[in-house]
Amino acid sequence: MKRTVLGVSALAAALAVSVSACSSSGGNAAGSSTPPPDTGGSSSTSSSSVPAPSGAGKTITVWLQSDAQTGWPSVVAQANARFEQATGAKVKIQWQEWSNYTQKLDSTFSGSSGIPDVVELGNTQTASYIDAGAFKALDKSEFDNSSTWLTALEQSASSPDGQLMAVPYYAGSRVVIYRTDIWKAAGITTAPKTLDELNADLDKIKAKNPSPNFSAFYMPGKYWYAAMSLVYGAGGRIADQHNGKWVGELESPAAQRGLAEWQKLATQYSVGGATSDESTQDVEMAKGNIASIAGNGWEVGAVADPKTGDPKLAKKLSTFPFPGNTAGNYTPSFLGGSDLAVPEKAPNADLGAEWIKYYTDTKSETLLAKYAIPNTTSLLGVYEKQSQANRSTGEAAKKTWFVPNTATWANVEANNILQNMLESIATGHSTIAAATKAADQKLDQTLNGVS
Amino acid sequence: MRQRRRSSLRRGGWFPYLLIAPAVVVLAAVAAWPLVKIVLLSLQEQEEGKYALFHNSGTTPFVGFRNFASQLTDSEFWSVLERTVIFTAVNVALSMALGLGLAVLLNRVSNWARIVLTAALLFVWAVPSTVSTQIFAWLFNSRFGVVDYLLDKLPGVSMQRHDWFADPVSGLGVVTAIVVWGALPLLAITLHAGITQVPRDVLEAARCDGAGPWSSFRHVVLPYLRPLLVILGMLSVIWDFGVFNQIYFLRNGHPEPGYQTLGIYMYTKGVSSSAYNTGSTLAVLMILVLLLVMVVYIRQLFKIGEAE
């Protein structure tokens, strides 16, 4: 394993050298002086002492997820315009969908043509590709704000020995989304500060709403991001490395305490979701009979969406960061997000890396911060100013957890190990102790690469 | 003269081959080549994870039947296979029986009723399985599902918030409902067409000989339908053995262990885990099992044919 990684980075380095040696006409000065630390934003990359690779007559292909197409197309457009002006190259964006994305990446990277120059990846997907040597090594100092990147994003973008293989792009965090009218009717006027307060509030809401279909807190039985947040909040972990071997740690007393907290939400305050995941919770909340959910900031909009939700709820929804054991100490949120990488076999790798510089520089990320959590803590203020929900999610983004950063993690997700464990707890098919024991065994096998 | 021209056409062997060439090329490209590739992949092992795959390096050696041995000694594979075989048997039996029943019904009802029924069946046929699965998922939803709501209205039945998917057997029952529902149109319409081909005089002769409706169906109609039943039965076995969409989408892309049929298992173990050798091995095993079932089935039917 370790040898593979070393081999990969050695090969990547060798290739990087040979590529820059070949592109004589480009005048690429890879490895020369790095640009000054950025503060001014927009022009930093183009005006730096490093000449941009010349791209006249070339077109680079960029794979971005359609989130950007629907959410922030103007950010993409301005980065493209600045990049095209500086390098003379053209940019072709090919919009992607998350479903079956890794299969598409696998088949593309195993071929020799049609390989894009930049790809976007989810931060839980990067590790297996970094391990497989799918990406070019990047120089951290060439990217804006790299000293203040969100830690969980930067971890996912780096190889286990710390080499940057991708660039953090944006993130999302989860908070509690609640119906102010239902909470107020139960006599609650301030957001709970601790888990005990949350439970006490939910008891009041439940007592006030005796309908058998009512959920004071809708917690689907397969919602592993929420469940693992409580595990990490209780001081537990999914797995850890001991002497180079991964060991599942869900059986630990701390993790089991966190799961007991989750079980309370899923069985005492939640109705009818024991075998569901979180994908329909916005639609269900819009239907009524749900007082609160745990969700991404943007889900507030989904619940009140005129097409998929109920616009009448727009004024009745608010958010607060998921409380923890003590006041001010939030339950850590799972930091989902995306990274951008340059494929090892990219035809215009230099230009690809250059495009990432523009798309993640201070100017682009400041614009992006209106729509999503930017890649750097230095711009969280811009994001939080936008709305009440952003204040909560921005707050939540300061304390986060991340999955074990190893290539085999993807198989844990593919085999639904955590979801199956949680469902068996939520349906009452097995106890927390039995379910975590079985899950730990599977984690040991899967994380250590035994299929 | 005429004789000679015909024989020269028959001997001018290149022309038929030329006509069939496009079809052969297309079939080779879309069916044969992937099949060859799958068999090759099942005999190989991808070392060092995906590294070899991405770098065209020589670390994907042939390992003989090692992949097959490891699957065949895995108890999980056998339990998945058992579940798949039972699931297929139940689905084929139910859809054939109901399809035949509907075909007979179509034959008995008045013209307008037949038109309405056929139109309804065609609509069912036109619905893609992804869409119908989504609709069934909401029908059987434990909070908003109309099925629970209606069943709860029955006296003495308490089905409020009943979760159909907590128990995989009842969950696969819902899958069976979707699969059978989707299979009925083809079966009913084809078998109905088959029944209309039974000569009236034969049926009348049977009636003169004193055969009741059941025995004339059993001894006259069914033998006429046998070739159709063989073909439809075989197709149903192939379809139901490989059911994927209905399970995958009903479980929202995350089927639990109790929902793993061979198709789902192959996808989870092979495709989503990026373990393409394991996936290909399972695919080859799936084809072999299917062939085995088919051979037994076809031979059985030939035997019946010879005996009569």
Side-chain angles (χ1 to χ4, degrees), chain A residues 284-370:
Chain A
E284 303 207 15
M285 191 178 193
K287 286 248 167 222
N289 275 333
I290 291 179
S292 6
I293 57 170
N296 279 293
W298 54 261
E299 290 183 43
V300 175
V303 175
D305 186 90
K307 275 190 200 135
T308 59
D310 182 0
K312 284 201 284 290
L313 294 179
K315 293 231 164 65
K316 294 179 183 162
L317 294 171
S318 190
T319 60
F320 56 83
F322 210 107
N325 291 317
T326 53
N329 190 14
Y330 302 122
T331 288
S333 168
F334 173 76
L335 194 78
S338 277
D339 298 315
L340 297 162
V342 179
E344 178 67 49
K345 298 183 195 168
N348 302 301
D350 291 353
L351 287 165
E354 192 69 15
W355 183 86
I356 296 179
K357 275 185 221 170
Y358 283 92
Y359 192 51
T360 61
D361 67 8
T362 307
K363 178 163 187 185
S364 291
E365 290 284 339
T366 309
L367 291 168
L368 177 61
K370 284 183 193 156

Side-chain angles (χ1 to χ4, degrees), chain A residues 62 75-85 89 91-93 355 358-359:
Chain A
V62 175
V75 182
V76 183
Q78 61 81 30
N80 286 349
R82 287 190 290 131
F83 167 83
E84 290 183 351
Q85 201 185 8
V91 182
K92 190 166 88 196
I93 307 277
W355 183 86
Y358 283 92
Y359 192 51

Side-chain angles (χ1 to χ4, degrees), chain A residues 200-218:
Chain A
D201 288 351
L202 293 177
D203 280 331
K204 282 186 212 162
I205 294 166
K206 194 179 169 186
K208 186 89 181 164
N209 298 278
S211 154
N213 261 330
F214 184 84
S215 295
F217 199 116
Y218 181 61

Side-chain angles (χ1 to χ4, degrees), chain A residues 11 100 103 106 110 128-129 132-133 212-213 222 271-272 275 279 284 290 345 411 414 416 419-420 423 429, chain B residues 50-51 53-56 142-144 161 163 165-166 251-252 254-257 267-269 271-274 276:
Chain A
L11 189 84
N100 295 327
Q103 283 88 279
D106 283 0
S110 56
S128 74
Y129 290 93
N213 261 330
K222 289 181 166 188
V271 163
T275 58
S279 61
E284 303 207 15
I290 291 179
K345 298 183 195 168
N411 294 344
N416 304 314
Q419 293 185 324
N420 290 340
E423 185 182 312
H429 281 322
Chain B
K50 289 193 279 196
Y51 188 84
L53 187 66
F54 293 166
H55 295 79
N56 302 329
S142 64
R143 285 159 41 80
F144 303 105
R161 284 176 288 118
D163 195 329
F165 303 106
R251 299 316 300 135
N252 232 325
H254 303 290
E256 292 88 344
Y267 189 82
T268 315
K269 287 280 160 199
V271 182
S272 25
S273 305
S274 296
Y276 298 108

Side-chain angles (χ1 to χ4, degrees), chain B residues 249-267:
Chain B
F249 291 113
L250 205 55
R251 299 316 300 135
N252 232 325
H254 303 290
E256 292 88 344
Y259 290 86
Q260 301 279 333
T261 57
L262 256 185
I264 298 281
Y265 187 67
M266 177 182 77
Y267 189 82

